Amino acid sequence: MAEVTVANDIAGYLGDFDPTVGTVGTNIFRGPVRPFSKSGATTLIPRNCIFVIANTSGDAPIPVAGSAYQKIRTISAQVIVRNTNAASDSAQTVYNALADIEVDDITTDGYVAFEMPQSNPLFLPGLDGNVDAYWSINIDVIYDQRLVPS
């Protein structure tokens, strides 16, 4: 399962979960954190937004009993919430949405489970030049390699 698919699926889930959380492409983005930006009167990347990053730094493949070719894999994803308000309300809303995620909530085949390795959003100290606060939420995405579409 490509990291891009995981990031897209999590971003899409957040956008579908609660319209107040955000909209993919408007204030929910896949990929690394990008600075606030405008083009004329149009805001390209707002100050209040969410970034979903997935990578392959998860656990090593786990062979499943019965076949050397069946493997369970983990991809770690990180969700960064940037907000003009240092209170954790928006980050907590995103955390709660991710804590409720179920395999059936995602349409892509292959997901086995989602695990949250932390009990709350983690505040990232150090504000940016706009004095925006950043919060990190990690999620481990476990999938069955056999069920992933090729």
Side-chain angles (χ1 to χ4, degrees), residues 17-99:
F17 178 80
D18 180 351
T20 64
V21 169
T23 303
V24 175
T26 301
N27 62 342
I28 300 175
F29 302 98
R30 180 184 55 80
V33 174
R34 294 178 289 288
F36 166 72
S37 65
K38 287 182 86 166
S39 175
T42 304
T43 299
L44 303 175
I45 305 289
R47 289 177 64 195
N48 294 334
C49 60
I50 300 166
F51 299 95
V52 181
I53 307 151
N55 58 48
T56 55
S57 65
D59 298 331
I62 303 168
V64 176
S67 172
Y69 302 105
Q70 300 173 8
K71 301 204 185 230
I72 303 295
R73 297 185 177 265
T74 303
I75 290 179
S76 297
Q78 183 178 39
V79 178
I80 303 290
V81 178
R82 177 173 66 203
N83 201 284
T84 55
N85 182 350
S88 65
D89 295 349
S90 59
Q92 190 65 50
T93 299
V94 172
Y95 177 89
N96 292 343
L98 292 173

